[in-house]
Amino acid sequence: MGTATRARALAFEAAEHRALESVRSSTAQRPSQARRLAVLAAAAALFAVTFAARLAIKDPDALIANFYVVPIALLAIEFGARAGVLAAALALGLVFAWSALQTIHVSALGYAARGAALLVTGAVVGRFSERLRGDIAARKHVQRHLSLYADQLGGANQHLAQSVERLEAFAEIARAVGGETDLERVLSLILEHGREIVAARSLRVCLPEGEQLAAVPDGGRALVVPLVFRGETLGVLAAIDREDGRAFDEEDEQLLLSVAASAATAIATARSVAAERLRLSIDAAEQARARWARELHDQTLQGLAGARMVLSAGLAREDPDALRHAAETADAHIGVEMRSLRDLITELRPAALDDLGLGPAIESLAKRQAAAAGFTVDMDIQFGGGERPREVEDAIYRIVQEALSNVAKHAGAERATLQVRQLAERVEVTVQDDGRGFAPEGPSEGFGLIGMRERAQLLGGQLSLTSAAGGPTRVTAVLPLPV
Ligand SMILES: Nc1ncnc2c1ncn2[C@@H]1O[C@H](COP(=O)(O)OP(=O)(O)OP(=O)(O)O)[C@@H](O)[C@H]1O
Ligand SMILES: [Mg+2]
Protein backbone atom coordinates (compact mmCIF):
# COMPACT_ATOMS: atom_id res chain seq x y z
CA MET A 1 0.00 0.00 0.00
CA GLY A 2 1.40 3.44 -0.94
CA THR A 3 1.86 6.13 1.67
CA ALA A 4 -0.98 8.16 0.17
CA THR A 5 -3.39 5.23 0.18
CA ARG A 6 -2.43 4.42 3.78
CA ALA A 7 -2.98 8.05 4.77
CA ARG A 8 -6.41 7.97 3.15
CA ALA A 9 -7.34 4.73 4.96
CA LEU A 10 -6.32 6.31 8.29
CA ALA A 11 -8.35 9.42 7.53
CA PHE A 12 -11.33 7.19 6.77
CA GLU A 13 -10.96 5.36 10.07
CA ALA A 14 -10.73 8.62 12.01
CA ALA A 15 -13.86 9.96 10.31
CA GLU A 16 -15.77 6.78 11.12
CA HIS A 17 -14.63 7.00 14.72
CA ARG A 18 -15.77 10.58 15.02
CA ALA A 19 -19.13 9.81 13.46
CA LEU A 20 -19.72 6.81 15.73
CA GLU A 21 -18.82 8.90 18.78
CA SER A 22 -21.35 11.52 17.79
CA VAL A 23 -23.99 8.82 17.23
CA ARG A 24 -23.29 7.35 20.67
CA SER A 25 -23.39 10.67 22.49
CA SER A 26 -26.55 11.70 20.69
CA THR A 27 -28.39 8.48 21.72
CA ALA A 28 -27.21 8.88 25.31
CA GLN A 29 -28.51 12.45 25.38
CA ARG A 30 -30.92 13.24 28.22
CA PRO A 31 -34.47 14.15 27.21
CA SER A 32 -35.21 17.84 27.55
CA GLN A 33 -35.08 19.11 31.14
CA ALA A 34 -37.97 21.55 30.62
CA ARG A 35 -40.32 18.80 29.55
CA ARG A 36 -39.45 16.75 32.61
CA LEU A 37 -40.15 19.69 34.92
CA ALA A 38 -43.45 20.30 33.15
CA VAL A 39 -44.46 16.66 33.60
CA LEU A 40 -43.51 16.78 37.28
CA ALA A 41 -45.52 19.96 37.80
CA ALA A 42 -48.55 18.55 35.94
CA ALA A 43 -48.42 15.33 37.97
CA ALA A 44 -48.13 17.26 41.25
CA ALA A 45 -51.08 19.45 40.23
CA LEU A 46 -53.17 16.42 39.28
CA PHE A 47 -52.39 14.74 42.61
CA ALA A 48 -53.32 17.93 44.44
CA VAL A 49 -56.53 18.49 42.42
CA THR A 50 -57.65 14.88 42.89
CA PHE A 51 -56.93 15.03 46.62
CA ALA A 52 -58.78 18.35 46.96
CA ALA A 53 -61.71 17.04 44.89
CA ARG A 54 -62.00 14.04 47.23
CA LEU A 55 -62.15 16.37 50.21
CA ALA A 56 -64.68 18.66 48.58
CA ILE A 57 -66.99 16.25 46.74
CA LYS A 58 -69.16 13.71 48.44
CA ASP A 59 -68.05 10.41 47.02
CA PRO A 60 -69.51 7.42 48.94
CA ASP A 61 -67.96 4.80 46.58
CA ALA A 62 -64.50 6.52 46.63
CA LEU A 63 -64.45 6.58 42.83
CA ILE A 64 -62.54 9.88 42.54
CA ALA A 65 -59.44 8.11 43.92
CA ASN A 66 -59.29 6.29 40.57
CA PHE A 67 -58.10 9.59 39.00
CA TYR A 68 -54.74 9.09 40.77
CA VAL A 69 -53.84 6.72 37.91
CA VAL A 70 -53.53 9.74 35.56
CA PRO A 71 -50.51 11.45 37.26
CA ILE A 72 -49.08 7.97 38.03
CA ALA A 73 -49.23 7.06 34.33
CA LEU A 74 -47.79 10.46 33.34
CA LEU A 75 -44.80 10.03 35.64
CA ALA A 76 -44.32 6.40 34.59
CA ILE A 77 -44.33 7.37 30.89
CA GLU A 78 -41.79 10.15 31.41
CA PHE A 79 -39.51 8.64 34.08
CA GLY A 80 -40.00 4.85 33.79
CA ALA A 81 -41.28 1.98 35.95
CA ARG A 82 -39.48 3.02 39.16
CA ALA A 83 -41.01 6.49 39.07
CA GLY A 84 -44.41 4.90 38.32
CA VAL A 85 -44.18 2.70 41.44
CA LEU A 86 -43.07 5.69 43.57
CA ALA A 87 -46.00 7.73 42.26
CA ALA A 88 -48.35 4.82 43.10
CA ALA A 89 -46.92 4.73 46.65
CA LEU A 90 -47.49 8.50 46.93
CA ALA A 91 -51.08 8.09 45.75
CA LEU A 92 -51.62 5.33 48.31
CA GLY A 93 -50.25 7.69 50.97
CA LEU A 94 -52.79 10.33 49.86
CA VAL A 95 -55.54 7.71 50.10
CA PHE A 96 -54.48 6.99 53.70
CA ALA A 97 -54.30 10.70 54.45
CA TRP A 98 -57.81 11.24 53.02
CA SER A 99 -59.27 8.38 55.20
CA ALA A 100 -57.56 9.85 58.24
CA LEU A 101 -58.85 13.37 57.53
CA GLN A 102 -62.38 12.18 56.78
CA THR A 103 -62.25 9.69 59.69
CA ILE A 104 -63.66 7.09 57.38
CA HIS A 105 -62.71 3.54 58.07
CA VAL A 106 -61.63 1.55 55.04
CA SER A 107 -61.12 -2.21 55.25
CA ALA A 108 -57.65 -3.73 54.70
CA LEU A 109 -58.99 -5.40 51.54
CA GLY A 110 -60.10 -1.98 50.24
CA TYR A 111 -56.60 -0.53 50.71
CA ALA A 112 -54.98 -3.60 49.23
CA ALA A 113 -57.19 -3.54 46.13
CA ARG A 114 -56.62 0.18 45.54
CA GLY A 115 -52.88 -0.08 46.25
CA ALA A 116 -52.54 -3.04 43.83
CA ALA A 117 -54.39 -1.21 41.06
CA LEU A 118 -52.23 1.91 41.46
CA LEU A 119 -48.94 -0.03 41.72
CA VAL A 120 -49.71 -2.21 38.69
CA THR A 121 -50.60 0.88 36.66
CA GLY A 122 -47.32 2.62 37.59
CA ALA A 123 -45.15 -0.46 37.00
CA VAL A 124 -46.77 -1.65 33.76
CA VAL A 125 -47.02 1.77 32.10
CA GLY A 126 -43.46 2.62 33.20
CA ARG A 127 -42.05 -0.64 31.90
CA PHE A 128 -43.88 -0.29 28.62
CA SER A 129 -42.68 3.28 28.16
CA GLU A 130 -39.08 2.26 28.94
CA ARG A 131 -39.17 -0.43 26.29
CA LEU A 132 -40.75 1.88 23.75
CA ARG A 133 -38.05 4.47 24.37
CA GLY A 134 -35.34 1.80 24.11
CA ASP A 135 -36.77 0.60 20.78
CA ILE A 136 -36.93 4.10 19.35
CA ALA A 137 -33.35 4.83 20.46
CA ALA A 138 -32.12 1.56 18.94
CA ARG A 139 -33.85 2.29 15.65
CA LYS A 140 -32.39 5.78 15.51
CA HIS A 141 -28.99 4.32 16.27
CA VAL A 142 -29.30 1.82 13.43
CA GLN A 143 -30.53 4.54 11.11
CA ARG A 144 -27.56 6.76 11.91
CA HIS A 145 -25.25 3.83 11.37
CA LEU A 146 -26.84 3.10 8.02
CA SER A 147 -26.60 6.66 6.83
CA LEU A 148 -22.99 6.74 7.97
CA TYR A 149 -22.23 3.62 5.95
CA ALA A 150 -24.12 5.05 2.99
CA ASP A 151 -21.89 8.14 3.16
CA GLN A 152 -18.80 6.01 3.40
CA LEU A 153 -19.95 3.89 0.50
CA GLY A 154 -20.59 7.03 -1.53
CA GLY A 155 -17.08 8.26 -0.78
CA ALA A 156 -15.57 4.88 -1.59
CA ASN A 157 -17.51 4.73 -4.85
CA GLN A 158 -16.32 8.14 -5.88
CA HIS A 159 -12.77 7.13 -5.09
CA LEU A 160 -13.20 3.92 -7.05
CA ALA A 161 -14.55 5.77 -10.07
CA GLN A 162 -11.58 8.14 -9.93
CA SER A 163 -9.19 5.19 -9.66
CA VAL A 164 -10.80 3.50 -12.67
CA GLU A 165 -10.44 6.72 -14.69
CA ARG A 166 -6.79 6.93 -13.73
CA LEU A 167 -6.27 3.29 -14.59
CA GLU A 168 -7.79 3.90 -18.02
CA ALA A 169 -5.52 6.89 -18.54
CA PHE A 170 -2.50 4.78 -17.53
CA ALA A 171 -3.63 2.07 -19.96
CA GLU A 172 -3.79 4.69 -22.73
CA ILE A 173 -0.28 5.80 -21.83
CA ALA A 174 0.98 2.21 -21.89
CA ARG A 175 -0.65 1.73 -25.30
CA ALA A 176 0.96 4.93 -26.59
CA VAL A 177 4.42 3.94 -25.32
CA GLY A 178 4.07 0.47 -26.82
CA GLY A 179 2.33 1.32 -30.06
CA GLU A 180 3.49 4.72 -31.31
CA THR A 181 6.89 5.21 -32.88
CA ASP A 182 6.84 8.96 -33.36
CA LEU A 183 8.27 10.62 -30.23
CA GLU A 184 6.25 13.81 -30.52
CA ARG A 185 3.02 11.88 -30.84
CA VAL A 186 3.90 9.56 -27.92
CA LEU A 187 4.81 12.51 -25.72
CA SER A 188 1.68 14.45 -26.56
CA LEU A 189 -0.46 11.37 -25.74
CA ILE A 190 1.40 10.87 -22.45
CA LEU A 191 1.02 14.54 -21.52
CA GLU A 192 -2.67 14.55 -22.40
CA HIS A 193 -3.51 11.46 -20.31
CA GLY A 194 -1.01 12.37 -17.57
CA ARG A 195 -2.73 15.74 -17.20
CA GLU A 196 -6.05 13.93 -16.61
CA ILE A 197 -4.42 11.66 -14.02
CA VAL A 198 -3.09 14.46 -11.81
CA ALA A 199 -5.93 16.85 -12.75
CA ALA A 200 -3.45 19.59 -13.63
CA ARG A 201 -4.14 22.55 -15.89
CA SER A 202 -1.08 21.67 -17.93
CA LEU A 203 1.79 19.23 -18.06
CA ARG A 204 5.20 20.05 -19.56
CA VAL A 205 8.25 18.03 -20.43
CA CYS A 206 11.52 19.91 -20.02
CA LEU A 207 14.59 18.36 -21.64
CA PRO A 208 18.07 19.81 -21.11
CA GLU A 209 18.80 20.18 -24.84
CA GLY A 210 16.03 22.73 -24.99
CA GLU A 211 13.93 20.42 -27.12
CA GLN A 212 10.82 21.48 -25.30
CA LEU A 213 11.97 23.81 -22.59
CA ALA A 214 9.01 25.48 -21.00
CA ALA A 215 9.25 27.79 -18.03
CA VAL A 216 6.91 27.19 -15.13
CA PRO A 217 4.72 30.29 -14.89
CA ASP A 218 5.32 32.60 -11.96
CA GLY A 219 2.89 32.25 -9.10
CA GLY A 220 1.59 28.95 -10.46
CA ARG A 221 1.57 25.98 -8.16
CA ALA A 222 3.74 23.38 -9.87
CA LEU A 223 4.82 19.85 -9.10
CA VAL A 224 8.09 18.84 -10.72
CA VAL A 225 9.42 15.28 -10.90
CA PRO A 226 12.50 13.94 -12.71
CA LEU A 227 12.30 11.90 -15.91
CA VAL A 228 14.47 8.94 -14.99
CA PHE A 229 15.28 6.02 -17.25
CA ARG A 230 17.59 3.30 -15.91
CA GLY A 231 19.15 5.65 -13.40
CA GLU A 232 19.78 8.41 -15.94
CA THR A 233 17.86 11.67 -15.56
CA LEU A 234 16.71 12.82 -18.98
CA GLY A 235 14.84 15.94 -17.89
CA VAL A 236 11.87 16.87 -15.75
CA LEU A 237 8.11 16.59 -15.96
CA ALA A 238 6.16 19.49 -14.50
CA ALA A 239 2.46 19.58 -13.61
CA ILE A 240 1.21 23.14 -13.38
CA ASP A 241 -1.81 24.25 -11.31
CA ARG A 242 -4.38 21.77 -10.15
CA GLU A 243 -7.73 22.16 -11.87
CA ASP A 244 -9.55 22.48 -8.54
CA GLY A 245 -7.11 25.14 -7.30
CA ARG A 246 -5.77 22.99 -4.45
CA ALA A 247 -2.07 22.39 -3.92
CA PHE A 248 -0.63 19.14 -5.26
CA ASP A 249 -0.32 16.47 -2.57
CA GLU A 250 1.82 13.42 -1.99
CA GLU A 251 -0.55 11.19 -3.95
CA ASP A 252 -0.32 13.51 -6.99
CA GLU A 253 3.44 13.26 -6.74
CA GLN A 254 3.31 9.45 -6.78
CA LEU A 255 0.99 9.51 -9.80
CA LEU A 256 3.15 12.05 -11.64
CA LEU A 257 6.22 9.89 -10.97
CA SER A 258 4.47 6.98 -12.71
CA VAL A 259 3.59 9.18 -15.69
CA ALA A 260 7.20 10.42 -15.74
CA ALA A 261 8.47 6.84 -15.86
CA SER A 262 6.42 6.21 -19.03
CA ALA A 263 7.52 9.49 -20.60
CA ALA A 264 11.17 8.73 -19.80
CA THR A 265 10.84 5.27 -21.36
CA ALA A 266 9.31 6.77 -24.51
CA ILE A 267 12.06 9.40 -24.81
CA ALA A 268 14.84 6.89 -24.17
CA THR A 269 13.35 4.43 -26.66
CA ALA A 270 12.99 7.09 -29.36
CA ARG A 271 16.57 8.19 -28.78
CA SER A 272 17.94 4.67 -28.96
CA VAL A 273 15.94 3.98 -32.15
CA ALA A 274 17.34 7.17 -33.71
CA ALA A 275 20.86 6.25 -32.58
CA GLU A 276 20.47 2.73 -33.96
CA ARG A 277 19.24 4.11 -37.31
CA LEU A 278 22.17 6.46 -37.52
CA ARG A 279 24.58 3.64 -36.67
CA LEU A 280 23.04 1.44 -39.34
CA SER A 281 23.20 4.08 -42.04
CA ILE A 282 26.81 4.90 -41.13
CA ASP A 283 27.56 1.18 -41.28
CA ALA A 284 25.82 0.94 -44.64
CA ALA A 285 27.82 3.88 -46.01
CA GLU A 286 31.04 2.33 -44.70
CA GLN A 287 30.19 -0.99 -46.31
CA ALA A 288 29.44 0.68 -49.62
CA ARG A 289 32.72 2.62 -49.52
CA ALA A 290 34.63 -0.56 -48.66
CA ARG A 291 33.01 -2.30 -51.63
CA TRP A 292 33.88 0.53 -54.03
CA ALA A 293 37.46 0.56 -52.74
CA ARG A 294 37.65 -3.23 -53.17
CA GLU A 295 36.25 -3.01 -56.67
CA LEU A 296 38.59 -0.15 -57.67
CA HIS A 297 41.53 -2.06 -56.21
CA ASP A 298 40.73 -5.58 -57.34
CA GLN A 299 39.28 -4.81 -60.72
CA THR A 300 40.14 -1.41 -62.18
CA LEU A 301 43.62 -1.09 -60.69
CA GLN A 302 44.50 -4.72 -61.48
CA GLY A 303 43.08 -4.29 -64.99
CA LEU A 304 45.11 -1.12 -65.61
CA ALA A 305 48.20 -2.79 -64.15
CA GLY A 306 47.65 -5.67 -66.58
CA ALA A 307 47.27 -3.30 -69.55
CA ARG A 308 50.44 -1.48 -68.51
CA MET A 309 52.37 -4.73 -68.28
CA VAL A 310 51.20 -5.77 -71.74
CA LEU A 311 52.28 -2.36 -73.16
CA SER A 312 55.66 -2.45 -71.33
CA ALA A 313 56.33 -5.96 -72.61
CA GLY A 314 55.45 -4.83 -76.20
CA LEU A 315 57.72 -1.77 -75.92
CA ALA A 316 60.59 -3.90 -74.64
CA ARG A 317 60.42 -6.19 -77.68
CA GLU A 318 60.94 -3.29 -80.16
CA ASP A 319 59.05 -5.38 -82.69
CA PRO A 320 56.31 -3.39 -84.46
CA ASP A 321 54.01 -6.43 -84.69
CA ALA A 322 54.44 -7.28 -81.05
CA LEU A 323 53.93 -3.63 -80.19
CA ARG A 324 50.78 -3.53 -82.22
CA HIS A 325 49.51 -6.73 -80.60
CA ALA A 326 50.31 -5.32 -77.15
CA ALA A 327 48.49 -2.06 -77.96
CA GLU A 328 45.43 -3.99 -79.14
CA THR A 329 45.40 -6.15 -75.97
CA ALA A 330 45.85 -3.07 -73.75
CA ASP A 331 43.06 -1.30 -75.66
CA ALA A 332 40.70 -4.21 -74.98
CA HIS A 333 41.73 -4.22 -71.26
CA ILE A 334 41.18 -0.50 -70.98
CA GLY A 335 37.77 -0.84 -72.68
CA VAL A 336 36.69 -3.40 -70.06
CA GLU A 337 37.93 -1.23 -67.22
CA MET A 338 36.17 1.83 -68.58
CA ARG A 339 32.91 -0.05 -68.65
CA SER A 340 33.32 -1.26 -65.10
CA LEU A 341 34.34 2.24 -63.99
CA ARG A 342 31.25 3.63 -65.67
CA ASP A 343 29.08 1.08 -63.83
CA LEU A 344 30.68 2.08 -60.59
CA ILE A 345 30.16 5.77 -61.28
CA THR A 346 26.54 5.12 -62.23
CA GLU A 347 26.08 3.36 -58.94
CA LEU A 348 27.64 6.23 -57.02
CA ARG A 349 25.57 8.86 -58.73
CA PRO A 350 22.82 7.88 -61.13
CA ALA A 351 23.69 10.48 -63.76
CA ALA A 352 21.33 8.62 -66.03
CA LEU A 353 18.54 10.09 -63.95
CA ASP A 354 19.48 13.59 -65.06
CA ASP A 355 20.37 12.63 -68.61
CA LEU A 356 17.62 10.18 -69.48
CA GLY A 357 14.87 10.77 -66.94
CA LEU A 358 13.66 8.22 -64.40
CA GLY A 359 11.91 5.75 -66.73
CA PRO A 360 14.76 5.14 -69.19
CA ALA A 361 17.30 5.29 -66.34
CA ILE A 362 15.71 2.41 -64.41
CA GLU A 363 15.14 0.50 -67.66
CA SER A 364 18.82 0.65 -68.55
CA LEU A 365 19.76 -0.15 -64.94
CA ALA A 366 17.51 -3.23 -64.94
CA LYS A 367 18.81 -4.40 -68.31
CA ARG A 368 22.38 -4.03 -67.20
CA GLN A 369 21.84 -5.92 -63.92
CA ALA A 370 19.83 -8.69 -65.57
CA ALA A 371 22.41 -9.15 -68.31
CA ALA A 372 25.26 -9.24 -65.80
CA ALA A 373 23.55 -11.86 -63.61
CA GLY A 374 21.95 -13.89 -66.39
CA PHE A 375 18.22 -13.56 -65.78
CA THR A 376 15.52 -11.96 -67.89
CA VAL A 377 13.57 -9.03 -66.63
CA ASP A 378 10.01 -8.09 -67.66
CA MET A 379 9.37 -4.43 -67.22
CA ASP A 380 6.10 -2.60 -66.83
CA ILE A 381 6.87 1.04 -66.12
CA GLN A 382 4.02 3.55 -66.21
CA PHE A 383 4.32 7.09 -65.04
CA GLY A 384 1.20 9.17 -64.81
CA GLY A 385 3.00 12.21 -66.13
CA GLY A 386 2.75 14.21 -62.93
CA GLU A 387 5.67 15.86 -61.17
CA ARG A 388 7.90 13.81 -58.91
CA PRO A 389 10.20 15.39 -56.35
CA ARG A 390 13.88 14.68 -56.84
CA GLU A 391 14.16 12.67 -53.60
CA VAL A 392 11.29 10.39 -54.67
CA GLU A 393 13.04 9.74 -58.00
CA ASP A 394 16.31 8.96 -56.21
CA ALA A 395 14.50 6.61 -53.85
CA ILE A 396 12.74 4.77 -56.69
CA TYR A 397 16.05 4.35 -58.53
CA ARG A 398 17.91 3.12 -55.44
CA ILE A 399 15.15 0.73 -54.38
CA VAL A 400 14.98 -0.83 -57.88
CA GLN A 401 18.77 -1.04 -57.90
CA GLU A 402 19.00 -2.80 -54.51
CA ALA A 403 16.06 -5.12 -55.15
CA LEU A 404 17.47 -6.25 -58.50
CA SER A 405 20.98 -6.59 -57.09
CA ASN A 406 19.53 -8.87 -54.40
CA VAL A 407 17.87 -10.91 -57.17
CA ALA A 408 21.25 -11.11 -58.91
CA LYS A 409 23.21 -11.97 -55.76
CA HIS A 410 20.89 -14.23 -53.81
CA ALA A 411 17.86 -15.44 -55.77
CA GLY A 412 19.33 -17.63 -58.50
CA ALA A 413 16.27 -16.54 -60.48
CA GLU A 414 15.48 -17.07 -64.14
CA ARG A 415 12.95 -14.31 -64.39
CA ALA A 416 12.22 -11.13 -62.58
CA THR A 417 9.48 -8.57 -63.07
CA LEU A 418 9.82 -4.89 -62.40
CA GLN A 419 6.65 -2.87 -62.12
CA VAL A 420 6.52 0.88 -61.47
CA ARG A 421 3.17 2.69 -61.31
CA GLN A 422 2.66 6.34 -60.65
CA LEU A 423 -0.80 7.18 -59.34
CA ALA A 424 -2.19 10.56 -58.37
CA GLU A 425 -0.87 10.51 -54.83
CA ARG A 426 1.75 7.74 -54.75
CA VAL A 427 4.24 5.67 -56.67
CA GLU A 428 4.27 1.90 -56.28
CA VAL A 429 7.40 -0.04 -57.12
CA THR A 430 7.40 -3.87 -57.17
CA VAL A 431 10.26 -6.23 -57.92
CA GLN A 432 9.45 -9.94 -57.98
CA ASP A 433 11.65 -12.92 -58.82
CA ASP A 434 11.12 -16.67 -59.25
CA GLY A 435 14.27 -17.54 -57.30
CA ARG A 436 14.90 -19.63 -54.19
CA GLY A 437 13.39 -17.20 -51.68
CA PHE A 438 14.39 -16.82 -48.04
CA ALA A 439 12.96 -16.34 -44.55
CA PRO A 440 12.65 -12.53 -44.23
CA GLU A 441 12.45 -12.60 -40.43
CA GLY A 442 15.82 -14.41 -40.16
CA PRO A 443 19.03 -12.54 -39.19
CA SER A 444 21.05 -10.83 -41.90
CA GLU A 445 24.45 -9.25 -42.16
CA GLY A 446 23.46 -7.04 -45.07
CA PHE A 447 22.14 -3.51 -45.15
CA GLY A 448 20.29 -3.53 -48.45
CA LEU A 449 16.84 -4.36 -47.06
CA ILE A 450 17.26 -1.96 -44.13
CA GLY A 451 18.39 0.78 -46.50
CA MET A 452 15.39 0.27 -48.81
CA ARG A 453 13.00 0.35 -45.87
CA GLU A 454 14.61 3.50 -44.46
CA ARG A 455 14.46 5.28 -47.80
CA ALA A 456 10.76 4.52 -48.05
CA GLN A 457 10.05 5.55 -44.45
CA LEU A 458 12.04 8.77 -44.74
CA LEU A 459 9.63 9.84 -47.46
CA GLY A 460 6.61 8.80 -45.38
CA GLY A 461 6.09 5.63 -47.36
CA GLN A 462 6.65 1.99 -46.57
CA LEU A 463 8.31 -1.12 -47.85
CA SER A 464 6.87 -4.62 -47.66
CA LEU A 465 8.64 -7.86 -48.39
CA THR A 466 7.13 -11.30 -48.93
CA SER A 467 9.26 -14.35 -49.35
CA ALA A 468 9.67 -17.92 -48.07
CA ALA A 469 12.06 -20.77 -48.69
CA GLY A 470 11.41 -21.89 -52.28
CA GLY A 471 10.34 -18.42 -53.39
CA PRO A 472 9.00 -16.33 -54.92
CA THR A 473 10.29 -13.09 -53.43
CA ARG A 474 8.44 -9.81 -53.81
CA VAL A 475 9.50 -6.38 -52.64
CA THR A 476 6.97 -3.56 -52.85
CA ALA A 477 7.63 0.06 -51.97
CA VAL A 478 4.85 2.61 -51.76
CA LEU A 479 6.06 6.22 -51.80
CA PRO A 480 3.61 9.08 -51.30
CA LEU A 481 3.70 12.04 -53.67
CA PRO A 482 3.00 15.55 -52.44
CA VAL A 483 -0.53 16.47 -53.49
N1 LIG B 1 15.50 -11.73 -53.87
C1 LIG B 1 16.06 -12.48 -52.90
N2 LIG B 1 16.10 -13.82 -53.01
C2 LIG B 1 16.68 -14.58 -52.05
N3 LIG B 1 17.21 -14.09 -50.91
C3 LIG B 1 17.20 -12.75 -50.73
C4 LIG B 1 16.63 -11.88 -51.70
N4 LIG B 1 16.73 -10.62 -51.25
C5 LIG B 1 17.36 -10.70 -50.05
N5 LIG B 1 17.66 -11.98 -49.74
C6 LIG B 1 18.29 -12.47 -48.49
O1 LIG B 1 18.17 -11.46 -47.52
C7 LIG B 1 19.43 -11.12 -47.00
C8 LIG B 1 19.49 -9.66 -46.70
O2 LIG B 1 19.50 -8.86 -47.87
P1 LIG B 1 20.22 -7.47 -47.84
O3 LIG B 1 19.98 -6.83 -49.16
O4 LIG B 1 19.74 -6.75 -46.64
O5 LIG B 1 21.71 -7.82 -47.61
P2 LIG B 1 22.80 -8.32 -48.65
O6 LIG B 1 22.24 -8.26 -50.02
O7 LIG B 1 23.28 -9.64 -48.17
O8 LIG B 1 23.97 -7.25 -48.46
P3 LIG B 1 24.01 -5.75 -49.01
O9 LIG B 1 22.69 -5.47 -49.66
O10 LIG B 1 24.23 -4.92 -47.80
O11 LIG B 1 25.12 -5.67 -49.98
C9 LIG B 1 20.40 -11.55 -48.05
O12 LIG B 1 21.66 -11.88 -47.51
C10 LIG B 1 19.72 -12.76 -48.63
O13 LIG B 1 20.00 -13.90 -47.86
MG1 LIG C 1 21.37 -6.55 -50.83
Side-chain angles (χ1 to χ4, degrees), residues 178-189:
E180 286 283 339
T181 46
D182 174 28
L183 177 62
E184 268 196 28
R185 176 106 189 94
V186 180
L187 274 185
S188 83
L189 280 173

Side-chain angles (χ1 to χ4, degrees), residues 402-403 405-407 409-410 446-449 452:
E402 174 57 28
S405 104
N406 275 353
V407 176
K409 280 200 292 190
H410 311 296
F447 294 97
L449 293 177
M452 284 198 279

Side-chain angles (χ1 to χ4, degrees), residues 284 287-288 291 402-413 431-440 442-452 465-468 471-475:
Q287 294 255 340
R291 192 154 56 79
E402 174 57 28
L404 285 173
S405 104
N406 275 353
V407 176
K409 280 200 292 190
H410 311 296
V431 173
Q432 178 161 351
D433 68 69
D434 63 357
R436 64 176 71 90
F438 70 111
S444 160
E445 301 268 284
F447 294 97
L449 293 177
I450 296 170
M452 284 198 279
L465 177 94
T466 48
S467 186
T473 302
R474 189 170 68 215
V475 177

Side-chain angles (χ1 to χ4, degrees), residues 293-447:
R294 218 169 29 241
E295 225 151 275
L296 282 172
H297 175 270
D298 295 353
Q299 197 171 329
T300 315
L301 205 60
Q302 302 298 335
L304 286 176
R308 188 177 176 201
M309 261 167 56
V310 171
L311 277 178
S312 308
L315 281 173
R317 298 265 301 269
E318 287 180 2
D319 166 4
D321 282 345
L323 195 58
R324 185 180 179 79
H325 181 69
E328 278 168 5
T329 315
D331 180 55
H333 268 283
I334 289 169
V336 170
E337 292 323 316
M338 278 175 68
R339 263 198 303 284
S340 86
L341 261 184
R342 197 168 289 129
D343 282 354
L344 199 59
I345 290 165
T346 316
E347 196 179 308
L348 283 173
R349 166 83 225 143
L353 270 185
D354 300 323
D355 300 345
L356 310 172
L358 180 63
I362 46 182
E363 256 174 54
S364 92
L365 168 78
K367 274 188 203 141
R368 224 173 32 242
Q369 283 184 309
F375 60 86
T376 50
V377 59
D378 302 324
M379 284 183 272
D380 172 12
I381 300 175
Q382 290 178 27
F383 289 112
E387 285 279 298
R388 287 176 303 269
R390 175 74 213 214
E391 59 271 21
V392 174
E393 295 210 329
D394 282 353
I396 295 171
Y397 187 89
R398 292 301 186 191
I399 287 170
V400 170
Q401 185 177 37
E402 174 57 28
L404 285 173
S405 104
N406 275 353
V407 176
K409 280 200 292 190
H410 311 296
E414 285 180 5
R415 283 198 103 78
T417 51
L418 163 64
Q419 194 184 61
V420 183
R421 285 249 185 294
Q422 181 174 350
L423 306 164
E425 79 295 3
R426 64 180 191 276
V427 180
E428 291 174 1
V429 180
T430 303
V431 173
Q432 178 161 351
D433 68 69
D434 63 357
R436 64 176 71 90
F438 70 111
E441 61 282 357
S444 160
E445 301 268 284
F447 294 97

